[in-house]
Amino acid sequence: MGNENPAEKALNLIRGRLCDPTFVFRPLSASSDSNYSKLKFIVSTSVTEGCNNSILLLGPRGSGKAAVLDLVVGDLMEEYPDSVTLISLNGLLHSEDNCAFKEIARQLCMEHHLLFSKMASFDENSQFIIAMLRECGLAHKTIIFVLDEFDMFAQGKQRLLYSLLDAMQSVTSQAVVVGISSRLDADQLLEKRVRSRFSHRKILFLPPSREEIDSLLEHLLSLPADSSFPSGYVSQFNEKIKNITSDTRFKDMLKTFLNANSTVNSLLKFIFRAVSSMNLESGLLSLENFKTALSSMQRQPKLEAVRDCSILELYLLVCMRRLEVKEQSSYNFISVMKEYKTIHDSFQTSDFYAQNVCLRAFEHLREREVICYAENRGQSQAGEYRSMKLLISASELHQGMRSHACCPVSLHFPSFYFCQLTSLATLFRTSLQFCYAVRFLHLSVTSMSRWREYVNLRLTCSISDYKQRSSYNLQDLQVGNFIYNTQPHLIKSPPDLRITPYAKNCDSQQRHLNAHINSPHPDQISYVCVLAPRSLLSSPTLQPHLVACLTNAPR
Amino acid sequence: MSHDTISTPKKLKSRQRIAVSNLRTPDKEVKQDSHENLAVDSLSDCLGSESRGGTKAPSTIVCREDEHRRVFEFVKGCLDQQKAGSLYICGCPGTGKSLSIEKVVKQVGDWSKQACLPPVDTLSVNCTSLIYSARYILEIVEPVKEDNCYSSPLHHLQSLFSQKQDSSSRMMLIIADEMDFLITKDRGVLHDLFMLTIFPFSTCILIGVANAIDLADRFLPKLKSLNCKPMVITFPAYSKDQILRILQERLMVLPYVAFQSNALELCARKVAAASGDMRKALSVCRSAIEILEIDIRGSPGPESQGPTPDNPVVRMDHMAAALSKTFKSPVVDTIQTLPQHQQIIICSAAKAFRGSKKDATIGELNKLYLEICKSRVISPAGITEFTNMCMVLNDQGILKFDQARGNKLKRVCLRVDESDITFALQGVRFFRNCLL
């Protein structure tokens, strides 16, 4: 027997409601100031008093224009069963005049049980329509013309609009022309003679206010207290709904959602997703349902694509970004490979993959639409020589890399920094107590002038720690070392701290480091950037020191 | 029914209906006597409202006497001398051209009967329905007979007009409404039509109606060279006094006062300043009556301000509301109710296009948007959502995209005036600094 879980029944009921525009917009018909009543007033005066009218419904997509019109027409058809005829056209299908007249004639024929001939010419159709208008006017039947996507009808010579509106003015007819458009300036698109014949009634469909949204939520989500549900369940469910909607977190969530998209349609979609993720065992909605709905509606697909990339693909993306920053406007796979090679050479990355592997990674990126060919010609060239371009912005790339599971730390500085400490970086990141990331950088001298802008180090380490470790050998830290205070405007740097360029002898460097270590600034936090090549950092002597140092680091 | 029932609101409605029916644009309310079930019809008949072709209609139209007379003189002249002629009538929409022509036709019919002249064949065509069959107008003029050896009705007509006919042949009056639809690339049809009047024995009088003032000069240069340009009569747009007079004339037939005089004057002034279009004035008055009706219906109690329900009059505030509904663009309202992120996008677009720059790519707009969001500490939407919001704004006609390929390279330009944006967002503190 239909021993349906009441939760499932409730779910089906609510989902059914959300998909039925009549139910959704019905409470609006209660108030006398709403769009529904305005529209109804205009159309019903036309039906009862036999006058002609024309009106435009304007508003963003999904704000319920067609739904409200359906409600009005449905109500009128009930009240005056035989004296309303509905002819509906759509601007996407019938914007061509010939086609539109044929369609109107066909629909009129269907309504009045006449035979329609497909071979009727344009003139015959228009004469038929005018004759029908006259007849229906004499017989007091109102014809309602609904023109969806009204702005499409306003292209070209606007002959359909002119004929309809002119017929309404010169023939005894009872007709209403209702135009639905999402363009606010739809009536500016009309030709001047059509605009003169069009009465400038406009009904604007604005997004609902907070009170309307609250009442709409209640109307949609409350279960009716009828016998098909166990009564305790109904009261429990409605109580939970009231709790959720009065919760401030829910209100904030709703506010962030509405800040982006405030039409009724998007609100319905949001509620639908939330309701669909209802826990069927408990049978009650919860705040988490709404949270999941919000996050699923505000997805960022490109970000997810970057997050799913492999490390090599990330490298390629960073190379392309570097080429863009260097203002190389068009580049192809070969130039990206060259850049990759230069990076590998200057920074001695760990894995330098062969060209065919990189090409496969490239193709994979192209399939995921993270990159694409820059222009469509040149199809005959091989894929490697065609110019490419990135389809994601720099900020998306950064964000994606930041949320990547195992992105090498180095890649976070997209333009100039590069280092290969994948495993070490993750080790540090997990072991650090205060989300400070270690940046081990190896700079080449040529890019010195520009790296100031891009340094974003967040490593803190107190000098005294170094003091404890002063026994280790500076020779180990030889190649390309820098000690630099990265935020001189925030932190007073010890006067002996200078940038030391890559020097063959390390005596000066040793002196510098000693000076830095020996100058006691226990209460000063300085940002220390220690640069070392990878080979050095993997040496067993250095690693544990650095690890230990950094885990005790920030104070 | 209108005269004695003044007290109850039910009859009030019928009064409104009368007023509404009176204010309909002239050609609409041909209610035949068979409509007894609608009270309005018999009412409008008794009141002698203007109807097309009805004998109860007044014979002159207010404020167009001069033009009416000129057209009539022209046709009379042609008929007197049994000569052909062509006339071109131009003017803005809603200035009474078609109406005047119909009156002239009727008047000509009456006059020719009086003067015992043979009746005139009249053909009145609206050229909008004939575009696919631009040549058919000539077929309508002279249907091709089977035994005719001529290839087309045009030739037939041309041959007809080249020979002297017997004096019993009737004159033909052709009225071509919305003549600019007949303009094809080679202007063939227009030329042929007007040239029909040039033949030595032609018997047709051609009256063309259109909106463009210089149609004859621009599209019919050949006629000028043949020194037979059509006579041009321009119907100027209505001035404020003319609109006022026409409205008063229409409302004179009512036994009671429906409009306050300053309300009518406000309407006339506004419409005359905007376009001088009579239809607009009439529709504004109609919507003013509707507003009054809603007003009265909505406040049935004794605390309703204004006139008592017995004698409702359309006042200035109703008229002002009707005028603002008609003339206001919905842009300001919409901008005020847009969600916040979309308003930020509009602000950034307004900022970007302030100088001489007229369009930008989506990527640049996105950068500006991110800047504003960052400066106001709001979390910005991602690029996908940003593009979607731009599409929504494009749908509404606030931004405009062009058809470039690739999402980021589409060029965007702003369709709304910056002053509208400033006006719409002036109350919101958030945007005050954004727009500076």
Side-chain angles (χ1 to χ4, degrees):
Chain A
M1 261 287 282
N3 223 0
E4 228 180 42
N5 192 356
E8 280 174 12
K9 256 203 300 189
L11 187 63
N12 288 339
L13 176 70
I14 296 184
R15 284 208 280 218
R17 278 182 186 173
L18 288 169
C19 296
D20 179 16
T22 324
F23 185 84
V24 172
F25 287 98
R26 182 54 73 179
L28 299 179
S29 59
S31 97
S32 68
D33 197 27
S34 66
N35 289 336
Y36 169 86
S37 35
K38 283 187 214 160
L39 188 59
K40 181 134 189 242
F41 177 66
I42 294 178
V43 183
S44 57
T45 42
S46 172
V47 172
T48 51
E49 297 173 18
C51 58
N52 293 309
N53 249 319
S54 48
I55 185 168
L56 261 188
L57 304 179
L58 301 174
R61 291 196 192 279
S63 40
K65 308 182 285 285
V68 169
L69 181 65
D70 284 340
L71 266 184
V72 168
V73 170
D75 287 346
L76 283 178
M77 294 244 195
E78 277 174 15
E79 287 174 37
Y80 309 100
D82 269 334
S83 37
V84 174
T85 312
L86 181 68
I87 309 277
S88 52
L89 296 175
N90 193 312
L92 294 171
L93 301 170
H94 307 126
S95 64
E96 216 240 313
D97 293 315
N98 217 354
C99 192
F101 273 90
K102 202 190 277 205
E103 182 63 23
I104 298 181
R106 189 186 68 83
Q107 289 192 17
L108 280 173
C109 287
M110 269 193 359
E111 287 280 334
H112 297 272
H113 309 293
L114 303 168
L115 280 180
F116 173 69
S117 147
K118 281 194 223 165
M119 308 305 291
S121 74
F122 179 81
D123 284 333
E124 289 171 16
N125 279 335
S126 61
Q127 281 169 12
F128 170 67
I129 290 168
I130 303 218
M132 278 303 284
L133 274 175
R134 192 177 296 129
E135 288 298 322
C136 288
L138 292 175
H140 292 303
K141 286 192 185 221
T142 312
I143 307 186
I144 303 182
F145 290 94
V146 175
L147 302 175
D148 229 334
E149 312 289 342
F150 187 74
D151 39 302
M152 309 285 269
F153 283 110
Q155 293 169 354
K157 282 211 154 189
Q158 303 179 11
R159 212 154 335 123
L160 168 72
L161 291 175
Y162 179 84
S163 318
L164 277 184
L165 294 172
D166 199 43
M168 277 173 24
Q169 296 213 328
S170 49
V171 166
T172 91
S173 60
Q174 247 179 270
V176 184
V177 172
V178 182
I180 304 181
S181 174
S182 62
R183 274 188 68 155
L184 299 172
D185 56 347
D187 60 333
Q188 309 293 328
L189 297 170
L190 298 174
E191 239 189 12
K192 55 182 191 306
R193 359 161 210 246
V194 179
R195 191 152 21 128
S196 161
R197 286 169 170 79
F198 183 80
S199 83
H200 286 74
R201 287 171 218 269
K202 293 187 272 246
I203 295 188
L204 203 50
F205 280 75
L206 297 172
S209 62
R210 287 315 301 256
E211 298 83 28
E212 285 175 5
I213 293 179
D214 290 334
S215 62
L216 188 66
L217 280 175
E218 203 187 294
H219 172 69
L220 288 172
L221 293 173
S222 314
L223 288 179
D226 63 358
S227 58
S228 60
F229 291 103
S231 64
Y233 175 67
V234 170
S235 50
Q236 218 184 349
F237 191 87
N238 291 344
E239 189 62 39
K240 192 80 200 312
I241 297 283
K242 255 201 264 287
N243 285 344
I244 293 178
T245 47
S246 46
D247 193 350
T248 39
R249 285 175 295 169
F250 177 77
K251 289 203 201 197
D252 288 334
M253 212 188 318
L254 201 57
K255 198 159 116 161
T256 34
F257 177 72
L258 290 174
N259 266 348
N261 214 338
S262 58
T263 55
V264 177
N265 209 9
S266 57
L267 189 64
L268 291 179
K269 283 192 198 151
F270 172 61
I271 300 177
F272 192 93
R273 271 186 222 226
V275 165
S276 302
S277 58
M278 180 168 92
N279 185 356
L280 281 174
E281 285 158 10
S282 70
L284 301 171
L285 280 177
S286 70
L287 202 58
E288 278 64 41
N289 297 135
F290 288 95
K291 275 202 196 117
T292 43
L294 188 65
S295 58
S296 80
M297 285 195 82
Q298 294 188 333
R299 279 179 57 219
Q300 302 206 36
K302 296 281 188 213
L303 209 56
E304 290 167 16
V306 173
R307 239 183 272 163
D308 286 338
C309 285
S310 67
I311 306 281
L312 175 60
E313 287 160 5
L314 282 180
Y315 269 107
L316 292 176
L317 286 175
V318 167
C319 289
M320 291 180 79
R321 177 76 196 131
R322 286 175 64 134
L323 285 176
E324 260 181 26
V325 170
K326 286 189 198 164
E327 274 153 41
Q328 210 167 317
S329 54
S330 77
Y331 43 85
N332 58 11
F333 177 68
I334 306 295
S335 38
V336 172
M337 286 308 292
K338 271 194 222 145
E339 181 74 19
Y340 183 50
K341 187 139 197 339
T342 46
I343 290 177
H344 169 75
D345 287 341
S346 48
F347 300 137
Q348 289 163 9
T349 63
S350 67
D351 20 41
F352 181 69
Y353 293 100
Q355 176 141 345
N356 50 352
V357 181
C358 291
L359 189 59
R360 267 217 299 269
F362 225 65
E363 285 301 320
H364 191 229
L365 281 176
R366 207 168 57 82
E367 275 165 32
R368 305 232 33 202
E369 298 222 344
V370 184
I371 61 180
C372 73
Y373 289 130
E375 58 218 9
N376 254 339
R377 51 193 181 92
Q379 300 255 2
S380 53
Q381 285 176 322
E384 303 151 358
Y385 296 98
R386 292 178 62 182
S387 50
M388 318 280 299
K389 64 175 185 199
L390 274 177
L391 282 179
I392 54 177
S393 67
S395 53
E396 281 178 325
L397 188 57
H398 286 210
Q399 241 184 320
M401 288 202 297
R402 225 175 290 147
S403 48
H404 195 271
C406 48
C407 169
V409 177
S410 52
L411 286 178
H412 281 223
F413 298 98
S415 297
F416 295 98
Y417 307 71
F418 213 82
C419 181
Q420 264 286 18
L421 280 180
T422 317
S423 53
L424 208 53
T426 45
L427 172 68
F428 287 159
R429 223 179 294 147
T430 51
S431 62
L432 286 179
Q433 297 154 1
F434 304 89
C435 59
Y436 289 96
V438 179
R439 303 282 187 262
F440 288 87
L441 307 168
H442 185 141
L443 272 187
S444 65
V445 179
T446 52
S447 47
M448 270 298 292
S449 56
R450 295 183 69 172
W451 76 303
R452 275 170 203 262
E453 306 150 13
Y454 292 100
V455 166
N456 194 5
L457 299 180
R458 293 192 286 269
L459 168 67
T460 60
C461 168
S462 76
I463 300 295
S464 43
D465 283 334
Y466 260 112
K467 251 178 153 176
Q468 295 162 15
R469 313 282 184 280
S470 59
S471 59
Y472 64 73
N473 194 356
L474 187 59
Q475 302 284 347
D476 296 336
L477 294 173
Q478 182 185 36
V479 181
N481 292 336
F482 291 80
I483 300 178
Y484 180 64
N485 186 352
T486 62
Q487 304 219 318
H489 52 283
L490 281 183
I491 301 164
K492 262 202 303 211
S493 69
D496 46 347
L497 201 61
R498 271 204 304 277
I499 302 175
T500 54
Y502 181 65
K504 284 274 185 301
N505 60 334
C506 56
D507 284 351
S508 54
Q509 290 176 17
Q510 180 156 18
R511 271 204 304 276
H512 279 293
L513 187 56
N514 280 340
H516 186 81
I517 289 173
N518 290 329
S519 59
H521 299 284
D523 49 339
Q524 245 188 21
I525 302 180
S526 55
Y527 289 79
V528 178
C529 164
V530 179
L531 307 162
R534 188 183 186 277
S535 44
L536 194 57
L537 287 167
S538 55
S539 73
T541 51
L542 187 56
Q543 261 192 15
H545 288 304
L546 285 176
V547 171
C549 150
L550 290 164
T551 48
N552 296 335
R555 293 236 181 120
Chain B
M1 192 177 160
S2 69
H3 308 277
D4 43 354
T5 58
I6 305 203
S7 39
T8 63
K10 177 166 171 288
K11 310 303 192 309
L12 159 74
K13 246 203 213 177
S14 66
R15 173 180 307 193
Q16 305 299 329
R17 265 189 245 146
I18 301 163
V20 170
S21 77
N22 243 21
L23 285 176
R24 258 175 241 144
T25 48
D27 311 326
K28 264 203 288 210
E29 60 280 49
V30 181
K31 301 279 189 222
Q32 324 278 337
D33 291 311
S34 57
H35 297 179
E36 269 97 19
N37 38 3
L38 275 192
V40 181
D41 313 324
S42 48
L43 217 38
S44 52
D45 278 356
C46 314
L47 296 175
S49 65
E50 209 160 344
S51 52
R52 189 173 68 128
T55 50
K56 303 188 203 97
S59 55
T60 54
I61 318 163
V62 191
C63 301
R64 281 283 173 241
E65 294 93 351
D66 187 40
E67 287 84 8
H68 180 92
R69 190 182 39 83
R70 284 169 70 189
V71 177
F72 181 62
E73 297 291 326
F74 169 77
V75 177
K76 201 156 79 121
C78 287
L79 284 180
D80 273 339
Q81 302 163 1
Q82 290 278 310
K83 239 174 43 126
S86 57
L87 172 68
Y88 174 63
I89 295 185
C90 58
C92 292
T95 46
K97 301 186 293 292
S98 309
L99 191 60
S100 304
I101 299 289
E102 284 160 21
K103 298 282 181 219
V104 167
V105 165
K106 248 188 322 128
Q107 206 180 352
V108 163
D110 294 339
W111 173 79
S112 67
K113 234 183 298 189
Q114 276 179 352
C116 306
L117 287 174
V120 183
D121 282 337
T122 313
L123 170 68
S124 182
V125 175
N126 191 317
C127 302
T128 46
S129 45
L130 297 178
I131 194 61
Y132 288 111
S133 41
R135 298 254 166 219
Y136 288 1
I137 187 171
L138 299 162
E139 244 186 39
I140 296 177
V141 171
E142 180 82 19
V144 179
K145 304 181 187 46
E146 258 99 62
D147 55 341
N148 213 316
C149 53
Y150 296 99
S151 50
S152 76
L154 177 64
H155 285 159
H156 178 76
L157 279 172
Q158 285 176 344
S159 75
L160 202 61
F161 291 151
S162 315
Q163 307 149 14
K164 183 142 177 53
Q165 294 149 38
D166 44 355
S167 54
S168 65
S169 71
R170 298 155 30 134
M171 296 289 287
M172 222 176 352
L173 176 61
I174 307 176
I175 303 176
D177 220 344
E178 312 291 353
M179 219 171 58
D180 42 346
F181 275 103
L182 287 180
I183 297 175
T184 53
K185 238 194 178 148
D186 57 349
R187 329 279 162 77
V189 179
L190 267 189
H191 269 115
D192 289 334
L193 207 53
F194 274 95
M195 299 272 263
L196 279 179
T197 59
I198 299 172
F199 287 101
F201 300 105
S202 151
T203 56
C204 77
I205 307 171
L206 176 64
I207 301 184
V209 183
N211 292 124
I213 293 187
D214 56 351
L215 194 92
D217 296 329
R218 240 185 324 147
F219 294 109
L220 302 171
K222 254 205 290 189
L223 294 183
K224 189 163 174 203
S225 60
L226 288 172
N227 212 14
C228 50
K229 257 177 54 177
M231 186 166 115
V232 176
I233 296 184
T234 315
F235 276 57
Y238 286 116
S239 71
K240 162 183 165 269
D241 298 321
Q242 289 175 329
I243 296 182
L244 194 54
R245 230 178 97 203
I246 297 177
L247 286 175
Q248 281 167 348
E249 179 101 12
R250 294 259 189 146
L251 292 173
M252 236 168 26
V253 291
L254 293 177
Y256 52 87
V257 175
F259 281 80
Q260 274 187 355
S261 56
N262 49 358
L264 273 185
E265 197 172 320
L266 174 68
C267 168
R269 193 173 324 139
K270 210 51 193 292
V271 173
S275 57
D277 185 346
M278 197 58 219
R279 289 191 187 109
K280 211 169 215 172
L282 292 170
S283 87
V284 166
C285 292
R286 275 174 76 181
S287 47
I289 293 186
E290 279 167 19
I291 294 178
L292 175 68
E293 204 165 321
I294 294 180
D295 208 13
I296 291 180
R297 221 177 332 139
S299 54
E303 62 269 17
S304 65
Q305 36 171 308
T308 65
D310 302 339
N311 195 11
V313 176
V314 174
R315 297 189 311 269
M316 287 280 276
D317 47 344
H318 301 129
M319 188 59 83
L323 280 170
S324 72
K325 253 179 31 173
T326 311
F327 283 105
K328 189 166 78 144
S329 93
V331 168
V332 171
D333 278 335
T334 315
I335 294 184
Q336 279 174 341
T337 54
L338 280 178
Q340 196 183 41
H341 281 283
Q342 296 183 13
Q343 283 174 331
I344 299 181
I345 296 179
I346 295 184
C347 282
S348 46
K351 251 179 147 166
F353 301 134
R354 204 165 266 178
S356 55
K357 203 156 135 70
K358 275 311 153 216
D359 60 0
T361 61
I362 291 194
E364 291 162 16
L365 202 61
N366 191 21
K367 259 190 239 163
L368 282 171
Y369 166 77
L370 289 174
E371 267 173 32
I372 297 189
C373 280
K374 227 188 297 189
S375 69
R376 299 269 170 264
V377 195
I378 302 180
S379 52
I383 182 75
T384 324
E385 195 142 347
F386 178 82
T387 320
N388 286 344
M389 290 199 276
C390 284
M391 293 287 186
V392 169
L393 290 173
N394 174 43
D395 270 343
Q396 295 193 267
I398 296 178
L399 293 179
K400 186 160 97 91
F401 280 170
D402 65 351
Q403 300 299 323
R405 304 268 215 95
N407 237 356
K408 297 266 271 306
L409 296 180
K410 282 209 185 132
R411 302 205 74 87
V412 180
C413 55
L414 193 61
R415 240 203 260 256
V416 175
D417 226 6
E418 193 186 328
S419 45
D420 278 340
I421 300 176
T422 329
F423 178 69
L425 295 174
Q426 63 188 3
V428 184
R429 193 162 44 118
F430 182 85
F431 291 104
R432 220 174 276 160
N433 302 331
C434 287
L435 286 173
L436 287 177

